[in-house]
Amino acid sequence: MPQRHSKNNNDLAYFTYDEKKKLGYGTQRERLGKDSIKPFDSCSLCLKPVIDPMSCQKGHIFCKECIFECLLAQKKDIQRKTAAHAMQQKQDKEEEEEKLALQKARELDAFDQQNHGALPQYSDKNYNRDKNGFHGANSVKATLYEEEALRTMKAFWLPSATPEAPSKVEAPSTCTTCPEGSEKLRMKTLFPIYFTEDTTDQKKSTSLDKSYICPSCKVTITNTIALVALSSCGHVFCKKCADKFMAVDKVCLVCNKGCKEKNLVPLEKGGTGFSAHGDNLEAKDFKHLGSGSGLGLVRPAMKT
């Protein structure tokens, strides 16, 4: 029976792709576990269980202290960038005025030299002149050209003449953004949320961590259950109860406070930066067999 050449040919002077792949070369795939996904009751900034949880209109959950510190830091950064942009505009304006003043001064000097005969004129036809009609050694204009060339010369081997790339500061945006969703976010758009804690004796005696339930159907909330928060009162329900009761009755089942359909905010889960909840939970990593693995010369040298 003939053998497959690409799979079983092992008499070559270098490793084939199939042989390297068996040794671990290439893209490695691995299914992510629950430890790689942020729990539903964890802050999106500190990744710890939330303290005084608050949510934005997109459903991202934060600790009250964490999100306030983040927004204040963004405001300080905006003020710093705005001041730097204003300073750069002022410098650009001063440089432009200085260039205009230098240009006017050069025009006046050229006019004065032309009208008062400051430059020597030669009537000898055999005397060498440049293309502008001035002698190189005695020409004031040539000297000015040399000074200008020395002043604007960009030579990387001279520290005083090393060119510098101009740094431009763009005008910053004056709006603070959500650190998780990158949409515009202000403090007044945040609203507190309240999870219903499971207070049964069985849960108290067997679990050290807090567990939460839906106040309507009493189902224990986990990462596999879609959650909805009411921006009007902050109570959190499972999506099934929210769609079945509150979307129809327009009232909260806990505090009987009226709500509208726009007050139903789906809460986001996951989103630790490694993988999002409900997406393709598969990690990919490319591994190369380099010199450290003893397989550095995986291909023969190319002929030149």
Side-chain angles (χ1 to χ4, degrees):
M1 182 176 179
Q3 295 179 346
R4 296 179 62 185
H5 178 77
S6 61
K7 299 290 183 182
N8 301 302
N9 186 19
N10 54 7
D11 59 347
L12 299 176
Y14 57 89
F15 285 103
T16 62
Y17 177 78
D18 185 67
E19 291 171 342
K20 289 188 292 180
K21 193 173 181 181
K22 290 179 180 178
L23 293 173
Y25 171 83
T27 302
Q28 306 294 325
R29 294 178 175 84
E30 183 179 355
R31 173 79 179 180
L32 300 179
K34 65 178 183 179
D35 294 336
S36 301
I37 305 173
K38 181 180 73 64
F40 70 94
D41 60 340
S42 296
C43 175
S44 298
L45 290 174
C46 64
L47 303 181
K48 296 179 181 179
V50 288
I51 301 175
D52 296 333
M54 302 194 75
S55 174
C56 66
Q57 297 297 328
K58 295 294 183 180
H60 300 111
I61 303 176
F62 309 95
C63 297
K64 184 176 182 180
E65 183 178 359
C66 293
I67 188 61
F68 279 9
E69 287 182 356
C70 179
L71 294 179
L72 290 174
Q74 288 186 32
K75 288 183 178 180
K76 290 182 180 179
D77 191 41
I78 290 172
Q79 292 177 356
R80 179 184 60 81
K81 291 181 179 179
T82 304
H85 180 66
M87 181 63 68
Q88 185 183 26
Q89 285 185 332
K90 183 179 178 181
Q91 291 178 356
D92 293 343
K93 186 177 180 180
E94 291 177 354
E95 290 178 359
E96 189 67 23
E97 292 177 353
E98 185 178 357
K99 287 181 180 179
L100 292 175
L102 289 174
Q103 184 178 0
K104 290 182 179 179
R106 291 174 185 172
E107 291 176 356
L108 290 175
D109 291 341
F111 179 80
D112 185 67
Q113 292 174 3
Q114 183 178 3
N115 288 274
H116 293 82
L119 300 178
Q121 299 291 335
Y122 298 91
S123 58
D124 190 1
K125 295 182 180 180
N126 296 327
Y127 213 87
N128 293 328
R129 300 184 182 184
D130 59 359
K131 63 180 181 179
N132 295 320
F134 301 103
H135 185 263
N138 300 321
S139 175
V140 178
K141 192 172 183 179
T143 307
L144 292 176
Y145 285 158
E146 292 175 359
E147 291 180 356
E148 182 69 19
L150 289 174
R151 185 165 52 251
T152 59
M153 181 177 62
K154 299 184 184 302
F156 63 89
W157 59 87
L158 295 177
S160 59
T162 303
E164 296 181 357
S167 59
K168 294 292 184 180
V169 180
E170 301 294 337
S173 175
T174 58
C175 299
T176 54
T177 59
C178 177
E180 187 69 17
S182 299
E183 68 271 0
K184 294 181 181 180
L185 179 65
R186 292 184 293 179
M187 287 187 180
K188 67 179 183 179
T189 59
L190 295 168
F191 62 93
I193 59 175
Y194 305 98
F195 291 102
T196 303
E197 188 176 352
D198 192 357
T199 57
T200 59
D201 296 336
Q202 183 180 1
K203 292 291 182 181
K204 277 188 174 181
S205 60
T206 59
S207 179
L208 297 176
D209 299 330
K210 291 182 180 180
S211 60
Y212 302 102
I213 61 174
C214 173
S216 176
C217 60
K218 308 299 180 183
V219 174
T220 303
I221 298 175
T222 61
N223 255 20
T224 59
I225 299 178
L227 303 177
V228 174
L230 298 180
S231 59
S232 56
C233 59
H235 292 105
V236 178
F237 300 87
C238 65
K239 184 172 175 54
K240 291 182 179 179
C241 294
D243 295 340
K244 188 175 181 180
F245 300 108
M246 282 168 289
V248 178
D249 298 337
K250 308 294 183 182
V251 65
C252 178
L253 301 179
V254 177
C255 60
N256 293 326
K257 187 175 181 179
C259 64
K260 298 180 181 179
E261 189 174 356
K262 65 179 182 180
N263 298 127
L264 302 178
V265 179
L267 296 182
E268 296 288 340
K269 294 174 292 185
T272 59
F274 193 56
S275 179
H277 177 78
D279 292 342
N280 186 18
L281 303 180
E282 188 180 48
K284 295 182 181 180
D285 187 21
F286 179 80
K287 294 185 179 180
H288 177 67
L289 299 179
S291 58
S293 61
L295 298 174
L297 301 176
V298 294
R299 286 188 180 275
M302 299 297 293
K303 294 182 181 181
T304 57

